[in-house]
Amino acid sequence: MVEWLAGNRIRGTSTERTTTTGFNPVTAVAGGWKELDRTTLGSAGLNIDVNAFGNKRYYMILHSAFTTGSPDIRLQLGDSSALSTGNVYAGRWSENGSTPDSENNTTSSLIYDSVGSTFNHKFCVGYIANLATKEKLVINHSVDSDGTSAGVAPKRSEFAGKWVETTDPLDRLRVFGSSNFAIGDEVVVLGWDPADTHTTNFWEELASVTAVGGTETFETGTFTAKKYLWIQAWIEGDTTNNGLDFYVNSDTGTNYAQRYSDNGGVDGAPTSTNQMFYGGGNSTTEKFFMNAFIINNSANEKLGIANVHNLITAGAGAAPTRRENVGKWITTGSQITKVGFKNRAATTGQNITAGSIIKVWGSD
């Protein structure tokens, strides 16, 4: 996002900047994702309600949960007066890349997440487009640990749904299941609107590094531990590419498991791996962009959701590769405070090119 300064200039003087050190030193002076409200359960319960969070054009929803019953999580939305509980929803979803999608139309709630034979540790990241005169559109991605070891691959689901309300903006929501959520489970609602002028952004920049090149690994260095992490990276490998993969806290042992799909294909589910996400594939023109979210509680396995765009071959005549990825790092008792990329192959010789970038934001 471009921040325009006085006189419609992109570049400004030091007096117009909030910081003058580090990569991309101009920080946002207004707007951004703001925490509107959150509900954290103080006792076990079937519902997590977040009420009266105001009218914003877009919402981001973060949800972390544990329970021991049915894996289904459902969603209801509402306006300033009440939740809508009538048959005013429609949605579709896929579990572990299954095709065709499942559908649930003219129903009283949306299936927000439905994966796994039982409910384990789940992490969901969703978005809602909220315009009063239009149906409200919802997107959600989720990861389920499916167990507590690197020998068990996590599971994933993708969901798209709508609430058919076209007269009022969204102002409240309920996430619920058929079994109780646990103490500490929570839903966080973030909002963004073009008219925002606040300076209380939810996401704090924790790290921003640019590679100097000539090395097989590229790490951020230590940053402040936060409960929620948002990571973006643009990575380029040299011409001896064997694949570049994402890991955390300099841990390159077999303490990870993941699930992924390339270009909508059948999921792979490797276990006891030495990377949390597969980054780029095997290409001599390795250039990829990754966008990822991680729930980073000390006491639990770290669950992540990542989407990767891999250039593969330059030019309009070759489509890029897309990868949908979920992963987990099984270490407990500490938090992620460093992330990086490394050569996938056991052989040496693949370096990360100068100019590659990793940026990390976080919040509690």
Side-chain angles (χ1 to χ4, degrees), residues 272-295:
S272 299
T273 63
N274 57 12
Q275 70 282 115
M276 189 170 185
F277 303 130
Y278 284 146
N282 298 321
S283 165
T284 57
T285 56
E286 189 74 60
K287 297 178 182 178
F288 69 89
F289 172 69
M290 185 187 82
N291 190 66
F293 293 89
I294 297 175
I295 181 69

Side-chain angles (χ1 to χ4, degrees), residues 216-239:
E216 295 180 13
T217 60
F218 173 37
E219 297 185 346
T220 59
T222 301
F223 52 76
T224 302
K226 296 290 182 179
K227 182 176 184 177
Y228 297 101
L229 298 177
W230 180 7
I231 301 156
Q232 291 186 334
W234 184 86
I235 306 293
E236 180 177 6
D238 66 15
T239 56

